[in-house]
Amino acid sequence: MKRKISILGSTGSIGRQALEVIDKLQDKFEIIALTAGSNVDLLNKQIEKYHPKYAYAKEINLINGAAPLSIEEICSNKENDIILVAVSGKIGLKPTITAIKNGINIALANKETLVMAGDIVMPLAQEMGVNIIPVDSEHCAIHQCIKNISQVEKLIITASGGPFLKKTVEEMKNATIEQALAHPRWNMGRKITVDSATLMNKGLEVIEAHHLFNMDYDKIKVVVHPQSIVHSAIEYADGSVIAQLGLPSMHIPIQYAISYPERFEGIKSKSFCFSEIARLDFEEPDWKKFKALNLAYEAGKAGGSATVCLNAANEEAVFEFLDGKIKLFDIINAVETMLSKHSIRKNISLDEIFDIDNEIRIKTKELLNSVRA
Ligand code: MG
């Protein structure tokens, strides 16, 4: 029987690659719904090719060839076996919760869902018996390594180090948008690429890992590994380390997440050859240069609304950087200021999370206005 899947954000980087995976596995998957934001032209081309029953885009009247449905309706549709949440930003959170409440498994590519509301999402998934399979390559690697979570002592998350790994603080401070977007290993959307340049992406991944695997922050380590061959690792109580290796390609974690617990050939990456790779380097992150990583650990350990603040301040500042309005280091300085001013609230509801998120975004914009002035 074919697995029935919907893709939220099918025109984005992860969504497009997911459809490339499904191209190779047409006998395994049936697409129930595709959703897009503003790229309705590409969505219509995807509808023509993949024949989903339903679709959503911001301009819903422009959809051709599929019945228009809201994202909430798509996520409540129990026809779905799995929903790939491939939208970026906070818009991923509510639909993910709706799908979980309807008992639908989640392939999760949206970091914000866990960074903003991991304390709500993970217990709910457990209560509903829903699998949340990470698409993020590091978490996908850890998911593949773990046999028995209770025996795991440590998670070791690898970081490529981004485009500024070998640059000085001064060079990084004055980086152009193009330099920040020139990621050496991974081809991703613009926001996440900037986050990878500051290592905020790694910080968000630490928070994500904390929720996904219910692991204390003290037991989550980050190691810089420029080749991006070891996608992450775990250490067991006896000191044994299990790592997952592969050539850097997002197709593989996407395919794993939507196929789990099965494994298909599908888009098989080029056969892995140790001797061709020849060497793997590892080093401690430069905590001074990449202050974002520290801020993420601090926010994670503080818990409650602190990670909502971290995420909202960072996202607003990244957008301003991408608009050419502020410098790269202003992003992290803004996050640090916002975190230091934030009075943390615990046990918050979803509505409170969105309120805090809004408030932090407004305050971050005001702060950055004064930086520019
Ligand atoms: Mg990642």
Side-chain angles (χ1 to χ4, degrees), residues 29-102:
F29 290 96
E30 177 186 339
I31 298 177
I32 300 294
L34 297 176
T35 85
S38 47
N39 196 349
V40 72
D41 288 343
L42 178 57
L43 178 70
N44 281 334
K45 283 184 191 143
Q46 292 176 341
I47 293 170
E48 209 178 305
K49 183 167 178 187
Y50 297 98
H51 310 292
K53 280 187 180 173
Y54 310 108
Y56 168 86
K58 266 186 200 146
E59 293 186 79
I60 207 156
N61 56 319
L62 297 180
I63 292 173
N64 288 321
L69 269 194
S70 73
I71 292 184
E72 282 300 303
E73 286 170 319
I74 288 168
C75 293
S76 315
N77 183 345
K78 291 187 177 164
E79 270 181 283
N80 287 299
D81 295 310
I82 187 161
I83 292 182
L84 169 62
V85 183
V87 293
S88 98
K90 63 176 170 178
I91 55 165
L93 178 50
K94 272 191 181 156
T96 304
I97 288 185
T98 302
I100 295 171
K101 282 183 176 164
N102 282 282

Side-chain angles (χ1 to χ4, degrees), residues 111 136-139 201-202 205:
K111 288 192 174 72
D136 217 339
S137 61
E138 296 78 1
H139 307 76
N201 183 53
K202 209 48 56 180
E205 288 180 355

Side-chain angles (χ1 to χ4, degrees), residues 313-321 325-327 330-335 338 361-373:
N314 178 63
E315 192 168 311
E316 285 307 314
V318 170
F319 291 153
E320 300 237 337
F321 172 75
K325 293 175 181 165
I326 59 169
K327 292 194 164 191
D330 293 332
I331 300 172
I332 304 310
N333 290 337
V335 174
M338 293 313 297
R361 281 170 199 271
I362 292 165
K363 285 185 181 164
T364 306
K365 276 186 201 150
E366 286 169 6
L367 175 77
L368 290 173
N369 269 328
S370 67
V371 168
R372 288 205 298 270

Side-chain angles (χ1 to χ4, degrees), residues 14 17 20-21 135-138 140 144 185-188 227-229 231 244-256 267-270:
I14 296 287
Q17 293 180 79
E20 287 162 15
V21 166
V135 170
D136 217 339
S137 61
E138 296 78 1
C140 177
Q144 294 179 61
R185 296 285 167 207
W186 299 96
N187 185 5
M188 306 171 288
Q227 292 94 347
S228 297
I229 297 293
H231 297 317
Q244 189 259 335
L245 283 72
L247 300 172
S249 152
M250 277 314 291
H251 286 119
I252 307 304
I254 293 169
Q255 182 170 301
Y256 174 87
I267 292 197
K268 190 181 175 187
S269 69
K270 183 172 143 240

Side-chain angles (χ1 to χ4, degrees), residues 207 210 217 295-304 306-307 310:
I207 299 167
H210 160 79
Y217 284 98
L295 294 174
Y297 268 100
E298 278 172 24
K301 285 179 189 173
T307 57
L310 174 92

